[in-house]
Amino acid sequence: MPRTRAYRDGKIVGHGFPLDDVSDFLEHDGCFVWVDFESPTESEMRQVADEIGLHELAVEDALHPGQRPKLDRYEDFLFTVLYDVGFDEASGDLTTDEVKAFITHRSLITVHEPSFDIGIVEKTWDDNRDLASHGVSYLVWGLLDTVVDRHYDTAEILGDSIDGLEETLFDVRQQTMDVQRRSFALRKSLVEFRRVVTPMREVLNTLLRRDDSNLAPEMGPYFQDVYDHVLRVTEQTDALRDLVSTILDTNLSIQSNRMNLVMKKVTSWAAIIAVPTAITGYFGQNVPYPGFSQTWGFWLSTVSIVAISVLLYTQFKKRDWL
Amino acid sequence: MPRTRAYRDGKIVGHGFPLDDVSDFLEHDGCFVWVDFESPTESEMRQVADEIGLHELAVEDALHPGQRPKLDRYEDFLFTVLYDVGFDEASGDLTTDEVKAFITHRSLITVHEPSFDIGIVEKTWDDNRDLASHGVSYLVWGLLDTVVDRHYDTAEILGDSIDGLEETLFDVRQQTMDVQRRSFALRKSLVEFRRVVTPMREVLNTLLRRDDSNLAPEMGPYFQDVYDHVLRVTEQTDALRDLVSTILDTNLSIQSNRMNLVMKKVTSWAAIIAVPTAITGYFGQNVPYPGFSQTWGFWLSTVSIVAISVLLYTQFKKRDWL
Amino acid sequence: MPRTRAYRDGKIVGHGFPLDDVSDFLEHDGCFVWVDFESPTESEMRQVADEIGLHELAVEDALHPGQRPKLDRYEDFLFTVLYDVGFDEASGDLTTDEVKAFITHRSLITVHEPSFDIGIVEKTWDDNRDLASHGVSYLVWGLLDTVVDRHYDTAEILGDSIDGLEETLFDVRQQTMDVQRRSFALRKSLVEFRRVVTPMREVLNTLLRRDDSNLAPEMGPYFQDVYDHVLRVTEQTDALRDLVSTILDTNLSIQSNRMNLVMKKVTSWAAIIAVPTAITGYFGQNVPYPGFSQTWGFWLSTVSIVAISVLLYTQFKKRDWL
Amino acid sequence: MPRTRAYRDGKIVGHGFPLDDVSDFLEHDGCFVWVDFESPTESEMRQVADEIGLHELAVEDALHPGQRPKLDRYEDFLFTVLYDVGFDEASGDLTTDEVKAFITHRSLITVHEPSFDIGIVEKTWDDNRDLASHGVSYLVWGLLDTVVDRHYDTAEILGDSIDGLEETLFDVRQQTMDVQRRSFALRKSLVEFRRVVTPMREVLNTLLRRDDSNLAPEMGPYFQDVYDHVLRVTEQTDALRDLVSTILDTNLSIQSNRMNLVMKKVTSWAAIIAVPTAITGYFGQNVPYPGFSQTWGFWLSTVSIVAISVLLYTQFKKRDWL
Amino acid sequence: MPRTRAYRDGKIVGHGFPLDDVSDFLEHDGCFVWVDFESPTESEMRQVADEIGLHELAVEDALHPGQRPKLDRYEDFLFTVLYDVGFDEASGDLTTDEVKAFITHRSLITVHEPSFDIGIVEKTWDDNRDLASHGVSYLVWGLLDTVVDRHYDTAEILGDSIDGLEETLFDVRQQTMDVQRRSFALRKSLVEFRRVVTPMREVLNTLLRRDDSNLAPEMGPYFQDVYDHVLRVTEQTDALRDLVSTILDTNLSIQSNRMNLVMKKVTSWAAIIAVPTAITGYFGQNVPYPGFSQTWGFWLSTVSIVAISVLLYTQFKKRDWL
């Protein structure tokens, strides 16, 4: 059973009806419909395409994954490709789902994979029923608003992840390897995220600027609002990229600094231990050095070892090497 | 008691009056009012929106935090989101407060959080009373000028912070960890700051270029002046970013250099200490080497230790390794 | 035998015919031809140029390798230079083949090296025979679509290579030298790839925007589709560059981190081994230290060696240095 | 005594006259004047402003330091802020002096600090007396030409400083700390320099493109010439930034390389010295090893020490580790 | 004897004639001349300037070195500054020679230093005699084509140099210092090269787009061809910059990696040598340890030394540390 809806005069006049009834609804003036396809077969798509008059190329794009986010103009309809995104904080992976839509004068036809929950779009429509009198523009706005809100949420979660990363950055107990892994995963997700959200500016721009657009003028501010969100997501993404770069740079600098500290410590301890070794070596010689086989020789050796070691230790401590 | 003001003929004809009196004032020709809301409730906002005829979406934006700085055009009014910023040098944190405003033909309605002191805007208005005859433009200019001046001040404080960072950069006694922490905090604040100030160019540009703008032509140079400040803040921000990057890079280079110096020292001392150890080892052998159990053997050992150590020390000193 | 084709009314009316027959075909209204030259000699090229009226400069460009991807406008024809690309994952090398074409009102003349298989262009034409009624535009589209699809495929393979690189990045057993070599080769290939694909935007843009273009309007969406692919390849390339940079940076950070770990280990073991050496040195002195030549001296020495070594080992283990 | 000048018919008809005489000169047709203020008081400025009719905001800008380089349009005059720059090679510091000017139809009023020598502007005017017949444009050109020439000279000196830095870069005897300090100072100066010279493009562009400009058309090529210099300074600045970055990067790489060389040397010498220590340790054991207390044991020990040390030394030499 | 040429009807009607004859030639309709000055004196230049009517400023630019590449428009003529470049692979230095030209309706006047061989421009003209009927455009094209071809060749040589650098990059036997020196020299040359070639786009653009241009329309494709070469050189330069950066980054990474390898080796050998030292130290104690002065003590010592050393060696070998 396909998800379908028919609206007239701002009210739902039918839903869940079979595809065959679409044309019945469209016969009524002022009536507009929504049809949703979940992973449609090629024949299903072609049948609808013939009915409504969709261009061959748009149908091909709808059937094959891997399109870039875009809004294509055809003579009688618009075709748009959007991406729903989600971010799994545990694994650091970004998930993307393609959502495609044909926008005609009186219908919106959405195509998506089962992994995308079209229900969240329906919820947006239902939460804004007062706009339903503005025709297909209302449906298009609901779809875009839902998708862009998801972008917005994902940007927030990515921001939180980066905040978490920052906290581990100056934490000595943390494994730096962890910082590297997580910052790498985040940067990769940001690269991916950017590819999905950047073209949205163009999509909204095209919709807002088109003279031959079928958008209801009353919906203008609503689309402008979505555009604002797109801008904010884009700016946020750039800021996050900047932050991740800063974290990587700072991490490198911190590691270099720790290395310096370790080197100083190593040197200091090596010096402190090397001195007794040199002294006992001296007193271990089989030559009649002063104090050879004498008790005062033992005291000489022991006192010099302790004295020089303590001296070195205090000197290094004073210079903050230890 | 809400903060309110009514102006006519360049003079304040009322202030601190209740919201209900707003319409009375607006009945008079040439009269314009300012109303301020501190964290308004939804019902308060909607009541005003109905009275003045504000669009649903702008009201929503006014009620919810997290908007980007912008200027939205609606049919009968403008809606702007601005950010007041402050920088706490001690903690290195940037604080931001959203200030929103509805600009109609004869009124300015500001909405803000309690953390923002609207009094500084009032002070700007009072300091420039001679402009009050230019209508709402005067109020809008006062608001923008105050906010952009705060941006300007913050940029100066950030600049001072970076100057402070520079001074510690080449100071050997300073903990380099400190440089890292502070430069990281500064760079993060700059990223945040940039997100707040960059869109201000667009806000001012939109105001200055609008043909259907209600701005009094006499106020043109004043808005241009604010725009100049916005440009200066933007340029300053870019220069500061550049400087912080330079500091980070230089810090890395300095650390690498110190590492080299430490390594040279370590090597030199290790060599100086290794030689006596090798010699005493030789004279500690249980085989009849020349001088075994002989007084001249002791002298041979002692003299070679001292001689080689002194030689190495002077050599290293000469090459500047010690 | 040159590869040739003649079309009329959307059908192939001749193929594999000698060059001399071209003019016969062009005498028929609505007939258009394709002629392919594999590494033509200068005289061959000039003969065709004279027949169809090609400009001297375009002929020169066609004969000499090393042109940039472009679309040149001449009075009566267009001249385009495209690059077929391939990526050999084993060697990490990018291969490029120049494909040049003259586009006149009723003919497409392609020029290429033997290393480029023109058969894949013929396949695209044959797979889309229903478009053949749109004249030369159909041939041009087929050529561009084939070349851009190859770009697309190469971008995918480059992406896979980078994914492979990522997996080795955090793998301790991998030789980091390998990561460096491969990331260097990839970055170099990306630089090369970018030079080939970036100008394609301009080529398509020029074709799509030209008012005096001879493109059949029905082919518009098809060229737009190719343009979309070009955009996607360009965006992909930028994302890949970003990823390779991230990999290089992360690799540097990982190496620095491993260095730190190694240094800690070295230090720890050096300390653990230095202590027994110092103690046995002490007990090796030829002075009557407590326990000299006594059995309890042996126990004293042995127990302190074991005790201190174990103590150090556990301490280092606790601090995660070992 | 203020610096003043009056011109008519391309000749100086008065100079050094008091401010009160300005209006007398302006009464004559074709006469134009220059007035210079060195750190004017507020009342002085306001007096002049009233006389000539300058806008309040421009006067404020003229009185307060810290403006960005700009050219503001007012109804009856232009207001420009320029920066004279100088570079002190010894300290590496960039000095900047604000020079402001009001440009009216028949007068140029300059405002500057005592640290700026306005005499160099007068010299430019005197060196180009043949242009004096072109009115105020002549004065404006002289001012801009002088300031931009100073930018040009400073860019040259900065370039020389960077050349000097380069020479120390590969010089082993130089303290690398010095390279860091100087490259940091240079990069900082370049950031500052850029802020001063970049907006000059806009200043010249505005002057050259203004339709309502009062510039004498004959002066066009002269302003274009200044614009060329501005472009050259901007390009030079970008190239210098690039070079300083390259120097910093190369310095890091050189340090890393030196570290490697030092490490190899350390390792080699450590190995060469460790071997005799191990051998003499062996022969120092109190167990009847072969050669214990035998003369041939001494030879065995001595020969192996020398042999192994020489072998290691030559091996390391061969591998270029020493 | 100055280099001069006079053309009429596509043929050379005079060459090597003295300057005084120029006006004779220009009296004939359809005749155009070329005059070349090698390091002209000021008086020579001014004489020609007066004859042909060149602007003072252009003459100044022609006399003084250090102009940026540009095309200036004057009322009656164009003035252009170009740079011939060469790259000395041995020293890594880029050489530049300024070539300046005045372009009037019927003459081309070139000015250059003796270091630039104007003969190569004459060669281009002679090789393309069939274009000589297109007037001064022919001469201008020949000059630009020659200079841009030299840019093109230099870009190729720079590319070869970078290829050579790449090969040494992963070659262990090469001194990394060499890579640094050469990559620094190359990057510096690229910065310089870029300053020379980037403004050429603007020069060609101005020539191609000028409505009041005197270019013969038949020469359009030829100038477009030069423009294509300029674009290619610019793209090549950007790609080369990218490659040099990659080489520098990779070099840093390789060095860091080698450091890691050296550290591992050092650690391993240090451990292998430290163990016998510790054991012989133990057996060198003057306390009655088990085996003291016993033959089995010697065996115990020797066997443990050999066994532990071999064990460590194989362990390290297995972990790839040696």
Side-chain angles (χ1 to χ4, degrees), chain A residues 68 70 176 180 195 241 259 283 285 301-302, chain C residues 228 235-236 242 253 257 259-260 282 285-286:
Chain A
R68 59 185 293 270
K70 63 174 175 178
T176 50
Q180 283 154 0
R195 276 178 67 190
R241 271 169 62 89
M259 188 74 151
F283 285 91
Q285 294 178 98
S301 143
T302 306
Chain C
D228 268 356
E235 285 167 8
Q236 174 97 341
D242 222 341
S253 182
N257 189 37
M259 188 74 150
N260 267 350
Y282 190 82
Q285 294 178 99
N286 293 324

PDB file of all heavy atoms in Angstrom, chain A residues 68 70 176 180 195 241 259 283 285 301-302, chain C residues 228 235-236 242 253 257 259-260 282 285-286:
ATOM      1  N   ARG A  68      24.002  14.005  -6.909  1.00  0.00           N
ATOM      2  CA  ARG A  68      24.343  15.099  -5.996  1.00  0.00           C
ATOM      3  C   ARG A  68      23.064  15.869  -5.649  1.00  0.00           C
ATOM      4  O   ARG A  68      22.126  15.876  -6.436  1.00  0.00           O
ATOM      5  CB  ARG A  68      25.383  16.037  -6.599  1.00  0.00           C
ATOM      6  CG  ARG A  68      24.984  16.692  -7.893  1.00  0.00           C
ATOM      7  CD  ARG A  68      26.114  17.509  -8.465  1.00  0.00           C
ATOM      8  NE  ARG A  68      26.404  18.639  -7.634  1.00  0.00           N
ATOM      9  CZ  ARG A  68      25.837  19.838  -7.761  1.00  0.00           C
ATOM     10  NH1 ARG A  68      24.963  20.074  -8.702  1.00  0.00           N
ATOM     11  NH2 ARG A  68      26.147  20.819  -6.967  1.00  0.00           N
ATOM     12  N   LYS A  70      20.477  18.484  -5.726  1.00  0.00           N
ATOM     13  CA  LYS A  70      20.276  19.441  -6.827  1.00  0.00           C
ATOM     14  C   LYS A  70      18.795  19.701  -7.043  1.00  0.00           C
ATOM     15  O   LYS A  70      17.933  19.021  -6.477  1.00  0.00           O
ATOM     16  CB  LYS A  70      20.885  18.869  -8.104  1.00  0.00           C
ATOM     17  CG  LYS A  70      20.220  17.586  -8.570  1.00  0.00           C
ATOM     18  CD  LYS A  70      20.756  17.129  -9.906  1.00  0.00           C
ATOM     19  CE  LYS A  70      20.152  15.774 -10.282  1.00  0.00           C
ATOM     20  NZ  LYS A  70      20.612  15.311 -11.577  1.00  0.00           N
ATOM     21  N   THR A 176      46.504   9.750  23.339  1.00  0.00           N
ATOM     22  CA  THR A 176      46.437  10.683  22.214  1.00  0.00           C
ATOM     23  C   THR A 176      45.975   9.979  20.939  1.00  0.00           C
ATOM     24  O   THR A 176      45.412  10.591  20.049  1.00  0.00           O
ATOM     25  CB  THR A 176      47.797  11.339  21.947  1.00  0.00           C
ATOM     26  OG1 THR A 176      48.765  10.316  21.875  1.00  0.00           O
ATOM     27  CG2 THR A 176      48.128  12.349  23.020  1.00  0.00           C
ATOM     28  N   GLN A 180      43.442  11.272  17.863  1.00  0.00           N
ATOM     29  CA  GLN A 180      43.709  11.182  16.428  1.00  0.00           C
ATOM     30  C   GLN A 180      42.613  10.437  15.685  1.00  0.00           C
ATOM     31  O   GLN A 180      42.122  10.893  14.648  1.00  0.00           O
ATOM     32  CB  GLN A 180      45.037  10.476  16.191  1.00  0.00           C
ATOM     33  CG  GLN A 180      46.207  11.387  16.456  1.00  0.00           C
ATOM     34  CD  GLN A 180      47.429  10.614  16.834  1.00  0.00           C
ATOM     35  OE1 GLN A 180      47.406   9.388  16.905  1.00  0.00           O
ATOM     36  NE2 GLN A 180      48.505  11.328  17.090  1.00  0.00           N
ATOM     37  N   ARG A 195      29.622  17.957   1.593  1.00  0.00           N
ATOM     38  CA  ARG A 195      29.191  17.642   0.229  1.00  0.00           C
ATOM     39  C   ARG A 195      27.685  17.584   0.130  1.00  0.00           C
ATOM     40  O   ARG A 195      27.114  17.836  -0.927  1.00  0.00           O
ATOM     41  CB  ARG A 195      29.754  16.286  -0.196  1.00  0.00           C
ATOM     42  CG  ARG A 195      31.153  16.382  -0.716  1.00  0.00           C
ATOM     43  CD  ARG A 195      31.685  15.047  -1.070  1.00  0.00           C
ATOM     44  NE  ARG A 195      31.011  14.442  -2.200  1.00  0.00           N
ATOM     45  CZ  ARG A 195      31.182  13.188  -2.560  1.00  0.00           C
ATOM     46  NH1 ARG A 195      31.997  12.420  -1.865  1.00  0.00           N
ATOM     47  NH2 ARG A 195      30.562  12.713  -3.593  1.00  0.00           N
ATOM     48  N   ARG A 241      34.831  22.688  10.717  1.00  0.00           N
ATOM     49  CA  ARG A 241      36.057  22.310   9.996  1.00  0.00           C
ATOM     50  C   ARG A 241      37.252  23.030  10.578  1.00  0.00           C
ATOM     51  O   ARG A 241      38.321  22.448  10.797  1.00  0.00           O
ATOM     52  CB  ARG A 241      35.949  22.716   8.527  1.00  0.00           C
ATOM     53  CG  ARG A 241      35.344  21.692   7.636  1.00  0.00           C
ATOM     54  CD  ARG A 241      35.075  22.346   6.304  1.00  0.00           C
ATOM     55  NE  ARG A 241      36.294  22.800   5.682  1.00  0.00           N
ATOM     56  CZ  ARG A 241      37.047  22.061   4.878  1.00  0.00           C
ATOM     57  NH1 ARG A 241      36.692  20.834   4.590  1.00  0.00           N
ATOM     58  NH2 ARG A 241      38.138  22.552   4.346  1.00  0.00           N
ATOM     59  N   MET A 259      56.948  15.474  24.167  1.00  0.00           N
ATOM     60  CA  MET A 259      58.218  14.886  23.755  1.00  0.00           C
ATOM     61  C   MET A 259      59.364  15.643  24.394  1.00  0.00           C
ATOM     62  O   MET A 259      60.287  15.051  24.932  1.00  0.00           O
ATOM     63  CB  MET A 259      58.310  15.019  22.235  1.00  0.00           C
ATOM     64  CG  MET A 259      59.448  14.298  21.641  1.00  0.00           C
ATOM     65  SD  MET A 259      59.076  12.548  21.660  1.00  0.00           S
ATOM     66  CE  MET A 259      60.025  12.091  20.225  1.00  0.00           C
ATOM     67  N   PHE A 283      86.480   3.445  41.088  1.00  0.00           N
ATOM     68  CA  PHE A 283      86.931   2.707  42.274  1.00  0.00           C
ATOM     69  C   PHE A 283      87.001   1.204  42.034  1.00  0.00           C
ATOM     70  O   PHE A 283      87.434   0.458  42.889  1.00  0.00           O
ATOM     71  CB  PHE A 283      86.018   3.022  43.471  1.00  0.00           C
ATOM     72  CG  PHE A 283      86.270   4.401  44.046  1.00  0.00           C
ATOM     73  CD1 PHE A 283      85.564   5.503  43.604  1.00  0.00           C
ATOM     74  CD2 PHE A 283      87.273   4.573  45.011  1.00  0.00           C
ATOM     75  CE1 PHE A 283      85.816   6.757  44.117  1.00  0.00           C
ATOM     76  CE2 PHE A 283      87.524   5.834  45.514  1.00  0.00           C
ATOM     77  CZ  PHE A 283      86.802   6.946  45.073  1.00  0.00           C
ATOM     78  N   GLN A 285      88.758   0.030  39.502  1.00  0.00           N
ATOM     79  CA  GLN A 285      89.986  -0.224  38.751  1.00  0.00           C
ATOM     80  C   GLN A 285      91.002  -1.037  39.562  1.00  0.00           C
ATOM     81  O   GLN A 285      91.100  -0.881  40.773  1.00  0.00           O
ATOM     82  CB  GLN A 285      90.638   1.109  38.357  1.00  0.00           C
ATOM     83  CG  GLN A 285      89.811   1.919  37.378  1.00  0.00           C
ATOM     84  CD  GLN A 285      90.460   3.246  37.062  1.00  0.00           C
ATOM     85  OE1 GLN A 285      91.126   3.400  36.063  1.00  0.00           O
ATOM     86  NE2 GLN A 285      90.277   4.202  37.956  1.00  0.00           N
ATOM     87  N   SER A 301      84.199   7.181  47.945  1.00  0.00           N
ATOM     88  CA  SER A 301      83.318   6.750  46.848  1.00  0.00           C
ATOM     89  C   SER A 301      81.860   7.014  47.196  1.00  0.00           C
ATOM     90  O   SER A 301      81.124   7.663  46.437  1.00  0.00           O
ATOM     91  CB  SER A 301      83.561   5.268  46.562  1.00  0.00           C
ATOM     92  OG  SER A 301      82.387   4.598  46.236  1.00  0.00           O
ATOM     93  N   THR A 302      81.438   6.522  48.364  1.00  0.00           N
ATOM     94  CA  THR A 302      80.021   6.621  48.728  1.00  0.00           C
ATOM     95  C   THR A 302      79.580   8.076  48.848  1.00  0.00           C
ATOM     96  O   THR A 302      78.524   8.484  48.324  1.00  0.00           O
ATOM     97  CB  THR A 302      79.770   5.886  50.055  1.00  0.00           C
ATOM     98  OG1 THR A 302      80.267   4.559  49.929  1.00  0.00           O
ATOM     99  CG2 THR A 302      78.270   5.871  50.382  1.00  0.00           C
TER     100      THR A 302
ATOM    101  N   ASP C 228      25.659  18.029 -14.580  1.00  0.00           N
ATOM    102  CA  ASP C 228      25.501  17.562 -13.201  1.00  0.00           C
ATOM    103  C   ASP C 228      26.607  16.578 -12.827  1.00  0.00           C
ATOM    104  O   ASP C 228      27.149  16.627 -11.725  1.00  0.00           O
ATOM    105  CB  ASP C 228      24.149  16.849 -13.037  1.00  0.00           C
ATOM    106  CG  ASP C 228      23.062  17.790 -12.576  1.00  0.00           C
ATOM    107  OD1 ASP C 228      23.374  18.964 -12.324  1.00  0.00           O
ATOM    108  OD2 ASP C 228      21.920  17.352 -12.472  1.00  0.00           O
ATOM    109  N   GLU C 235      33.115  18.219  -7.231  1.00  0.00           N
ATOM    110  CA  GLU C 235      32.904  18.222  -5.775  1.00  0.00           C
ATOM    111  C   GLU C 235      33.620  17.034  -5.135  1.00  0.00           C
ATOM    112  O   GLU C 235      34.256  17.156  -4.090  1.00  0.00           O
ATOM    113  CB  GLU C 235      31.408  18.149  -5.454  1.00  0.00           C
ATOM    114  CG  GLU C 235      30.685  19.465  -5.696  1.00  0.00           C
ATOM    115  CD  GLU C 235      29.182  19.295  -5.681  1.00  0.00           C
ATOM    116  OE1 GLU C 235      28.705  18.196  -5.347  1.00  0.00           O
ATOM    117  OE2 GLU C 235      28.476  20.259  -6.020  1.00  0.00           O
ATOM    118  N   GLN C 236      33.504  15.881  -5.780  1.00  0.00           N
ATOM    119  CA  GLN C 236      34.163  14.665  -5.288  1.00  0.00           C
ATOM    120  C   GLN C 236      35.678  14.887  -5.205  1.00  0.00           C
ATOM    121  O   GLN C 236      36.320  14.517  -4.218  1.00  0.00           O
ATOM    122  CB  GLN C 236      33.839  13.521  -6.272  1.00  0.00           C
ATOM    123  CG  GLN C 236      34.549  12.227  -6.016  1.00  0.00           C
ATOM    124  CD  GLN C 236      33.676  11.264  -5.229  1.00  0.00           C
ATOM    125  OE1 GLN C 236      32.701  11.658  -4.592  1.00  0.00           O
ATOM    126  NE2 GLN C 236      34.042  10.012  -5.259  1.00  0.00           N
ATOM    127  N   ASP C 242      40.699  16.953   0.194  1.00  0.00           N
ATOM    128  CA  ASP C 242      40.545  17.227   1.607  1.00  0.00           C
ATOM    129  C   ASP C 242      40.904  15.999   2.439  1.00  0.00           C
ATOM    130  O   ASP C 242      41.648  16.077   3.427  1.00  0.00           O
ATOM    131  CB  ASP C 242      39.082  17.601   1.843  1.00  0.00           C
ATOM    132  CG  ASP C 242      38.943  18.758   2.794  1.00  0.00           C
ATOM    133  OD1 ASP C 242      39.890  19.036   3.520  1.00  0.00           O
ATOM    134  OD2 ASP C 242      37.884  19.382   2.804  1.00  0.00           O
ATOM    135  N   SER C 253      50.726  13.134  12.774  1.00  0.00           N
ATOM    136  CA  SER C 253      50.361  13.144  14.183  1.00  0.00           C
ATOM    137  C   SER C 253      50.558  11.753  14.796  1.00  0.00           C
ATOM    138  O   SER C 253      51.037  11.608  15.917  1.00  0.00           O
ATOM    139  CB  SER C 253      48.909  13.602  14.297  1.00  0.00           C
ATOM    140  OG  SER C 253      48.506  13.690  15.610  1.00  0.00           O
ATOM    141  N   ASN C 257      53.080  10.621  17.701  1.00  0.00           N
ATOM    142  CA  ASN C 257      52.567   9.913  18.858  1.00  0.00           C
ATOM    143  C   ASN C 257      53.364   8.633  19.122  1.00  0.00           C
ATOM    144  O   ASN C 257      53.750   8.337  20.241  1.00  0.00           O
ATOM    145  CB  ASN C 257      51.096   9.554  18.595  1.00  0.00           C
ATOM    146  CG  ASN C 257      50.432   9.007  19.823  1.00  0.00           C
ATOM    147  OD1 ASN C 257      50.715   9.478  20.917  1.00  0.00           O
ATOM    148  ND2 ASN C 257      49.598   8.012  19.650  1.00  0.00           N
ATOM    149  N   MET C 259      56.348   8.028  18.230  1.00  0.00           N
ATOM    150  CA  MET C 259      57.646   8.478  18.696  1.00  0.00           C
ATOM    151  C   MET C 259      57.610   8.673  20.203  1.00  0.00           C
ATOM    152  O   MET C 259      58.497   8.231  20.927  1.00  0.00           O
ATOM    153  CB  MET C 259      57.941   9.818  18.017  1.00  0.00           C
ATOM    154  CG  MET C 259      59.317  10.295  18.247  1.00  0.00           C
ATOM    155  SD  MET C 259      60.440   9.315  17.245  1.00  0.00           S
ATOM    156  CE  MET C 259      61.677  10.560  16.987  1.00  0.00           C
ATOM    157  N   ASN C 260      56.544   9.356  20.665  1.00  0.00           N
ATOM    158  CA  ASN C 260      56.392   9.586  22.095  1.00  0.00           C
ATOM    159  C   ASN C 260      56.337   8.272  22.858  1.00  0.00           C
ATOM    160  O   ASN C 260      56.984   8.113  23.893  1.00  0.00           O
ATOM    161  CB  ASN C 260      55.100  10.371  22.366  1.00  0.00           C
ATOM    162  CG  ASN C 260      55.344  11.849  22.426  1.00  0.00           C
ATOM    163  OD1 ASN C 260      56.500  12.273  22.457  1.00  0.00           O
ATOM    164  ND2 ASN C 260      54.297  12.629  22.462  1.00  0.00           N
ATOM    165  N   TYR C 282      78.880  -0.561  42.077  1.00  0.00           N
ATOM    166  CA  TYR C 282      79.192  -0.247  43.464  1.00  0.00           C
ATOM    167  C   TYR C 282      79.861  -1.441  44.151  1.00  0.00           C
ATOM    168  O   TYR C 282      80.899  -1.311  44.813  1.00  0.00           O
ATOM    169  CB  TYR C 282      77.910   0.128  44.197  1.00  0.00           C
ATOM    170  CG  TYR C 282      78.161   0.693  45.565  1.00  0.00           C
ATOM    171  CD1 TYR C 282      78.506   2.030  45.727  1.00  0.00           C
ATOM    172  CD2 TYR C 282      78.096  -0.111  46.695  1.00  0.00           C
ATOM    173  CE1 TYR C 282      78.756   2.564  46.976  1.00  0.00           C
ATOM    174  CE2 TYR C 282      78.348   0.415  47.962  1.00  0.00           C
ATOM    175  CZ  TYR C 282      78.676   1.751  48.094  1.00  0.00           C
ATOM    176  OH  TYR C 282      78.942   2.264  49.332  1.00  0.00           O
ATOM    177  N   GLN C 285      83.631  -2.270  43.346  1.00  0.00           N
ATOM    178  CA  GLN C 285      84.733  -1.400  43.740  1.00  0.00           C
ATOM    179  C   GLN C 285      85.769  -2.149  44.573  1.00  0.00           C
ATOM    180  O   GLN C 285      85.438  -3.042  45.355  1.00  0.00           O
ATOM    181  CB  GLN C 285      84.191  -0.224  44.565  1.00  0.00           C
ATOM    182  CG  GLN C 285      83.307   0.702  43.780  1.00  0.00           C
ATOM    183  CD  GLN C 285      82.751   1.826  44.649  1.00  0.00           C
ATOM    184  OE1 GLN C 285      83.263   2.924  44.644  1.00  0.00           O
ATOM    185  NE2 GLN C 285      81.721   1.518  45.411  1.00  0.00           N
ATOM    186  N   ASN C 286      86.993  -1.747  44.389  1.00  0.00           N
ATOM    187  CA  ASN C 286      88.079  -2.354  45.167  1.00  0.00           C
ATOM    188  C   ASN C 286      88.307  -1.587  46.470  1.00  0.00           C
ATOM    189  O   ASN C 286      89.427  -1.241  46.826  1.00  0.00           O
ATOM    190  CB  ASN C 286      89.349  -2.383  44.329  1.00  0.00           C
ATOM    191  CG  ASN C 286      89.185  -3.338  43.158  1.00  0.00           C
ATOM    192  OD1 ASN C 286      88.540  -4.382  43.298  1.00  0.00           O
ATOM    193  ND2 ASN C 286      89.730  -2.972  41.999  1.00  0.00           N
TER     194      ASN C 286
END
